[in-house]
Amino acid sequence: MAQILAPSTQWQMRVPKSSTFGSPIATKMWSSLLLKQNMKGAAKSAGKFRVLALHSENSTVNRTEKLLNMDITPYTDKIIAEYIWIGGTGIDMRSKSRTISKPVEHPSELPKWNYDGSSTGQAPGEDSEVILYPQAIFKDPFRGGNNILVICDAYTPAGEPIPTNKRHKAAEIFSNKKVVDEVPWFGIEQEYTLLQQNVKWPLGWPVGGYPGPQGPYYCGAGADKSFGRDISDAHYKACLYAGINISGTNGEVMPGQWEYQVGPSVGIEAGDHIWCSRYILERITEQAGVVLSLDPKPIEGDWNGAGCHTNYSTKSMREEGGFEVIKKAILNLSLRHKEHISAYGEGNERRLTGKHETASIDTFSWGVANRGCSIRVGRDTEKNGKGYLEDRRPASNMDPYVVTGLLAETTILYEPTLEAEALAAQKVALKV
Amino acid sequence: MSLINDFIKFNLNETTRKSIAEYLWIGGAGMDLRSKARTLPEPVTDPAKLPLWNFDGSSTDQAPGDDSEVILRPQAIFRDPFRGGSNILVMCDTYTPAGDPIPTNKRFSADKIFNHPDVAAEEPWFGIEQEYTLLQKDTKWPLGWPVGGFPGPQGPYYCGVGADKSFGRDIVDAHYKACLYAGINISGINGEVMPAQWEFQVGPATGISAGDQLWVARYILERITEIAGVVLSFDPKPIPGDWNGAGAHTNYSTKPMRNDGGIDVIRKAIEKLGLRHEQHIAAYGEGNDRRLTGRHETADINSFSWGVANRGASIRVGRDTEKAGKGYFEDRRPASNMDPYVVTSMIAETTILWKP
C-alpha cells in the first residue's frame, strides 16, 4: 500500500551542524518545554515537567542528553527501527526496537519480527509468539538521523491475523476495486485529555476541586485557560518531522483537553497515521510526566467528552453533484447505525448523551452545521453542492482502522433493499 | 558549570595525537566492573598493541596486601562514547605477575574452549538478552514505583509507552546509541513485564566476543545510570511476589544448526544440556533459585524441559526454527547476573565437546 515517506532532504538541511553531535528536533523542543513549564504559574502544581533521568546529583554536567541526541550516522550505517503494535486491549500501544543494517525506504525491506503475546494478553504462555508485519514507516523524532518508527500489525505464526488485528480487514476493504476507484479521503479529529500523574486528575485542575465552568477554554490562551500547550505544540512538530499528515491543532472546550487533526489521508493510511500520531503523543507525555487519556468521558457532569470526529469523502462526493452522493451515503449510514455505534469505541454511551455537542447514542440524525447531530454537513458543502461529511459519533478511543473501514464499506459496498431505503429516507428527512 | 562542560566536550584531536584508554576489568565479586584510564601516545585499534597494565588487587578482593599487583591484559577495544574522538574503552582480563589467570578470571578458560579446533570449526553464535532493573537512589526501590507502595499489577508495562507505564526510557535509549557508537553489536531493546525493568540484546556474536561485548555494554549502562542518578540492579529477583524476575536468556547456534537438517543437531544439543542441567544451573548466576520458580515465564530450577514457543520451559525453540528445520535455540535459565564468559563457553563445551 502507499507509504508516507518523510521528506528527508528537507529536514536534514535544517538540522544545524554546529555541535559535535547532531541534534534532532527533539532536543530543542525539550529545552523550550523546560523553560516554559517553569514560567507557567497556574500549571506549576499540575504535573511537574520531568524528562526522566536527565538530572543527577553526583555529576556536574549532564551527558545522557548528549548520548540521546547523538547522531550516529558518521559512525555506522546501522539504523534503529522502533516496531510499534497495538496490544490486547485494542487501545494500548506497545513498541520495541531493533538494529537494522542500513537505512530502508519501504516497509517491505524490513524483516518480520515477533513478540511475547502472553505478556500483552494476545497469546497463551505455551505458544506465545505473535508475528509482527511491518506496514508503514515514519521518521523517528526522538532518535533523529535515519532511525525510524514502524507501524506493524499482528499475526499468528500460521499467518492469520490475530483477533485484535483490525488493520487486516480494513486493508481488505480498501483494496476492493470499488473502494479504490472512489479514492476515499479521511480527516480525523483526535481529541484527548491530559491528566496529572498519580492523581489522574486533569492537568491544570486544582486537586480536590474543579476549575471555572466551560466557556473560556476552547482555543483559549493564558495561564488560567490553557493547560499543556507545550505537549500539543511539541507533538505537532514531532508529527510533521515524522511524516505524519497532521493538519492542525486546537485547545478544546474542556480545560486540559486538546485536539489535533490528521488528514486528508487516503484509505488505510488514515489508520496508520492516527496510530503513529497516538504513539508519538504518548512518548511525549511520558517525557513530560503527564498521563494521556483517550477516555471518551473522562470527567462526569457538565464537562465535554472526547471524540474522534471522522470527516469523510469519496471522489463522487467531491465532484459536481456530490451533495446527492453524500445524502445517499447518509441514508446508508442511517440503516447501519447500531453496527457503527458498537464499533465506535468503548464507553461511548457515557459521552453520546445528546448534550455537550453530541447526538444521543440511540438516535441517528444529520444536519447542516448542526453539532448536535450524528452526521454534520458543512455549510460550504451544502453551498457548493459537493464536499464531505463529518461523522461525529466515534469516541476518542476508537480504532481508526475499524471506523474508516466501516465508513467505506457502508457507503460504497453496502446495498440496502429499496424498501429499507425508502423507509430510511422518510425517517431522516432525506430526498434522494 | 559550562566551563566543565566545555572541557568534557573538548576535541583532543585538534591539539595532540595522544588518546585516552579506559581499561575495564571484572572485580573480586565477579559482577563488579572496575576501570581506570591512561594516556596513550597515539590512537590504537589493535588490543595486542596496547601495553599490559596492573592494579591494586587488594582493593578489589583479588590479591593480598603484601603482594597486591594484578596484571591487566587488554583483550578487546571499543570506541569511548563518553569521551568521543579517538579515545577507547579496553576490556581486559586479570593475571598474577607470574602470568597465571587469577581465580575470578573466567575469560581465560572460556577463551581456551573457544579456541579448541572442534569448537572453532562449529562457529558458535550467541545472542544474549540482558534484563536489568532501575532503582531509585537511596531508597533502592524501583524507578517510578511509589515509595512505600506498589504500582498497578503487571500487564500494561511490557513494551509499554506513557508516563504511567514506562519508567526510565531515556537511560535505555541513551545506552542504545552509546553502544552502537562504541561498536558493540547491540541488536535491540524493549521495556519488560515488570515496571522499571528493561532489556537489551547483544548479538549475534561469535565465540569469546559475546562475553566481551556484553561486559562492555554492562559497563556503559552503569556509566549512564551513574550520570542519571539511578541505581542499576542485575539481581535476578529484585522484588519478591507477583513481579517478574530478570534473566539473561542466551540464544545459541552452531554452523550445523544453521544449515539444512539443523533441527536434529539442535535436538541432540538440547538432550546433552538436559543431562548436565545441575552443572549449568550452578554456573548460571547467584540467587537464581529466587527467580526460577516455574511461574512468571520461567521453568522450575529443579527440572529441565524444552518446547517450541514455550516460555515456561528451560529451553525454548522458536517457531521459525521449527518451520525452517534449522536455526537456533534459547537457553532461558541464566540469571541477569550471570557471567557471559562462563555461560557461553559452557554451552559450547556441553554441546560440542562433551560426550555423555
Side-chain angles (χ1 to χ4, degrees):
Chain A
M1 277 310 289
Q3 300 321 316
I4 296 299
L5 297 174
S8 49
T9 7
Q10 219 177 324
W11 279 107
Q12 272 162 18
M13 278 176 355
R14 285 155 72 161
V15 172
K17 297 277 180 202
S18 50
S19 48
T20 335
F21 295 124
S23 54
I25 287 297
T27 347
K28 305 222 205 71
M29 290 193 309
W30 300 144
S31 15
S32 76
L33 250 171
L34 196 49
L35 278 168
K36 281 186 191 163
Q37 196 74 12
N38 289 338
M39 297 197 299
K40 254 198 223 163
K44 230 189 219 170
S45 56
K48 216 171 13 141
F49 175 82
R50 180 182 84 251
V51 179
L52 264 181
L54 221 44
H55 297 289
S56 75
E57 293 142 28
N58 55 5
S59 84
T60 51
V61 293
N62 196 293
R63 286 174 281 168
T64 313
E65 198 171 345
K66 199 174 84 158
L67 288 171
L68 274 172
N69 298 322
M70 177 160 49
D71 180 12
I72 53 176
T73 41
Y75 307 104
T76 174
D77 276 341
K78 293 178 180 177
I79 64 163
I80 305 172
E82 186 91 31
Y83 280 52
I84 299 166
W85 72 96
I86 300 156
T89 66
I91 191 77
D92 55 323
M93 303 204 72
R94 309 278 181 152
S95 76
K96 55 174 180 160
S97 22
R98 70 184 293 179
T99 309
I100 303 289
S101 52
K102 55 185 179 41
V104 296
E105 300 276 303
H106 198 266
S108 59
E109 296 173 63
L110 287 166
K112 295 199 172 90
W113 205 6
N114 65 76
Y115 68 94
D116 173 11
S118 68
S119 289
T120 59
Q122 292 170 302
E126 65 272 12
D127 187 8
S128 59
E129 275 170 43
V130 178
I131 315 301
L132 291 168
Y133 288 31
Q135 298 290 1
I137 292 182
F138 299 90
K139 278 167 72 77
D140 185 335
F142 308 101
R143 294 198 174 106
N146 292 320
N147 304 305
I148 53 178
L149 303 176
V150 186
I151 293 292
C152 307
D153 59 347
Y155 295 77
T156 63
E160 301 293 315
I162 64 173
T164 52
N165 178 350
K166 307 300 182 192
R167 190 188 192 279
H168 187 79
K169 172 142 191 275
E172 274 175 9
I173 292 172
F174 287 117
S175 317
N176 182 308
K177 182 167 185 338
K178 273 174 111 178
V179 175
V180 173
D181 288 343
E182 283 286 352
V183 191
W185 285 7
F186 298 95
I188 301 177
E189 307 169 32
Q190 173 74 67
E191 290 179 342
Y192 61 90
T193 316
L194 298 174
L195 307 174
Q196 303 171 41
Q197 211 174 15
N198 301 336
V199 294
K200 302 277 176 80
W201 198 233
L203 190 65
W205 292 36
V207 176
Y210 293 82
Q214 294 184 153
Y217 312 109
Y218 172 71
C219 300
D224 51 345
K225 299 178 227 79
S226 173
F227 310 133
R229 186 190 301 274
D230 282 346
I231 288 171
S232 170
D233 270 358
H235 179 246
Y236 202 161
K237 284 192 173 173
C239 284
L240 282 174
Y241 174 93
I244 287 170
N245 204 357
I246 184 167
S247 40
T249 173
N250 62 274
E252 268 302 328
V253 177
M254 177 178 123
Q257 204 171 77
W258 292 83
E259 169 181 315
Y260 65 92
Q261 308 96 28
V262 173
S265 314
V266 182
I268 196 76
E269 276 169 23
D272 291 336
H273 283 225
I274 282 285
W275 276 116
C276 194
S277 67
R278 285 175 174 178
Y279 175 79
I280 290 176
L281 182 57
E282 188 128 51
R283 283 288 301 271
I284 288 173
T285 52
E286 177 189 304
Q287 291 205 25
V290 155
V291 174
L292 172 68
S293 169
L294 292 180
D295 187 276
K297 189 78 173 180
I299 307 292
E300 291 299 316
D302 212 355
W303 304 98
N304 273 32
C308 215
H309 305 156
T310 303
N311 299 278
Y312 171 61
S313 70
T314 59
K315 193 149 139 285
S316 320
M317 294 179 195
R318 299 188 288 271
E319 290 168 350
E320 291 304 315
F323 197 48
E324 296 304 308
V325 185
I326 290 175
K327 286 200 266 185
K328 170 79 170 72
I330 294 178
L331 204 67
N332 282 19
L333 287 166
S334 73
L335 287 166
R336 287 187 107 203
H337 180 66
K338 283 211 177 63
E339 287 89 334
H340 278 241
I341 281 288
S342 66
Y344 274 12
E346 289 292 312
N348 213 4
E349 65 282 357
R350 288 180 284 121
R351 166 183 160 256
L352 292 182
T353 56
K355 301 163 73 213
H356 302 114
E357 298 171 279
T358 68
S360 166
I361 196 169
D362 301 313
T363 46
F364 179 91
S365 58
W366 79 281
V368 176
N370 186 343
R371 280 179 158 78
C373 282
S374 315
I375 307 270
R376 163 176 158 264
V377 175
R379 288 220 173 279
D380 279 351
T381 297
E382 186 193 37
K383 200 168 70 173
N384 298 333
K386 57 185 173 174
Y388 63 96
L389 60 85
E390 176 192 18
D391 189 341
R392 293 176 64 79
R393 299 169 292 173
S396 43
N397 58 356
M398 61 80 147
D399 185 327
Y401 295 131
V402 173
V403 171
T404 56
L406 250 185
L407 278 168
E409 189 183 58
T410 298
T411 60
I412 302 172
L413 300 175
Y414 168 65
E415 304 281 349
T417 63
L418 284 168
E419 307 96 74
E421 245 192 38
L423 265 169
Q426 253 185 1
K427 235 169 128 207
V428 291
L430 265 176
K431 262 216 319 270
V432 182
Chain B
M1 182 136 122
S2 71
L3 206 53
I4 298 184
N5 219 347
D6 289 342
F7 281 124
I8 292 196
K9 287 206 190 124
F10 216 60
N11 185 356
L12 289 175
N13 293 346
E14 293 167 12
T15 46
T16 171
R17 275 188 64 73
K18 293 181 179 172
S19 68
I20 305 173
E22 185 92 29
Y23 279 52
L24 277 54
W25 72 95
I26 301 156
M31 217 23 221
D32 52 328
L33 277 160
R34 310 278 182 152
S35 75
K36 56 175 181 160
R38 69 184 293 175
T39 310
L40 303 174
E42 26 178 63
V44 177
T45 48
D46 180 4
K49 297 218 167 58
L50 283 168
L52 295 181
W53 206 9
N54 64 77
F55 68 93
D56 172 12
S58 67
S59 290
T60 60
D61 238 352
Q62 290 171 299
D66 51 4
D67 186 9
S68 62
E69 270 180 25
V70 177
I71 311 303
L72 287 170
R73 184 165 302 205
Q75 297 292 358
I77 290 183
F78 299 88
R79 269 194 296 261
D80 185 337
F82 307 100
R83 295 198 175 101
S86 50
N87 305 306
I88 52 179
L89 301 175
V90 186
M91 189 64 210
C92 307
D93 61 345
T94 46
Y95 296 80
T96 63
D100 301 309
I102 64 174
T104 53
N105 179 351
K106 307 297 182 193
R107 190 186 192 280
F108 187 78
S109 42
D111 203 26
K112 280 212 335 235
I113 290 173
F114 285 120
N115 284 327
H116 190 295
D118 290 350
V119 174
E122 300 256 341
E123 283 177 40
W125 285 6
F126 297 94
I128 304 178
E129 307 169 34
Q130 174 75 64
E131 291 178 345
Y132 60 92
T133 317
L134 298 173
L135 308 175
Q136 304 172 37
K137 211 163 83 106
D138 302 337
T139 57
K140 300 283 176 68
W141 199 231
L143 190 64
W145 292 35
V147 176
F150 293 84
Q154 294 183 153
Y157 312 109
Y158 170 71
C159 300
V161 57
D164 49 347
K165 298 175 227 84
S166 170
F167 310 132
R169 187 190 298 273
D170 283 344
I171 289 170
V172 191
D173 270 356
H175 179 248
Y176 202 161
K177 282 192 175 176
C179 285
L180 280 174
Y181 173 90
I184 289 170
N185 201 358
I186 182 167
S187 40
I189 58 171
N190 63 274
E192 269 300 330
V193 178
M194 178 177 121
Q197 203 170 75
W198 293 86
E199 169 182 316
F200 67 89
Q201 306 98 30
V202 171
T206 313
I208 197 75
S209 147
D212 290 335
Q213 292 192 44
L214 192 70
W215 275 114
V216 180
R218 284 175 172 178
Y219 174 79
I220 292 177
L221 183 57
E222 188 119 54
R223 285 285 302 270
I224 289 176
T225 52
E226 176 190 304
I227 293 173
V230 156
V231 173
L232 174 64
S233 169
F234 286 117
D235 187 279
K237 189 78 172 181
I239 308 290
D242 210 355
W243 304 100
N244 273 32
H249 305 157
T250 304
N251 298 279
Y252 171 67
S253 70
T254 58
K255 205 155 97 168
M257 292 179 196
R258 300 189 284 272
N259 291 335
D260 288 323
I263 191 81
D264 294 314
V265 185
I266 289 175
R267 276 205 199 95
K268 287 209 187 68
I270 295 179
E271 271 162 30
K272 282 197 191 177
L273 285 166
L275 293 168
R276 285 190 102 203
H277 179 66
E278 270 161 38
Q279 289 90 326
H280 277 245
I281 282 288
Y284 274 11
E286 289 290 314
N288 213 2
D289 48 307
R290 288 180 284 123
R291 165 182 161 258
L292 292 181
T293 56
R295 298 170 62 220
H296 301 115
E297 299 170 280
T298 68
D300 181 80
I301 197 169
N302 298 314
S303 49
F304 179 86
S305 58
W306 76 277
V308 178
N310 187 345
R311 281 177 157 82
S314 315
I315 307 259
R316 164 177 157 264
V317 174
R319 285 219 172 278
D320 278 353
T321 298
E322 184 193 44
K323 201 166 72 172
K326 56 185 173 176
Y328 64 94
F329 66 81
E330 175 192 20
D331 189 340
R332 294 175 65 79
R333 299 170 293 173
S336 42
N337 58 357
M338 61 83 146
D339 184 328
Y341 295 130
V342 173
V343 171
T344 56
S345 59
M346 207 173 185
I347 293 177
E349 185 185 49
T350 298
T351 58
I352 302 172
L353 299 176
W354 185 64
K355 308 265 180 268

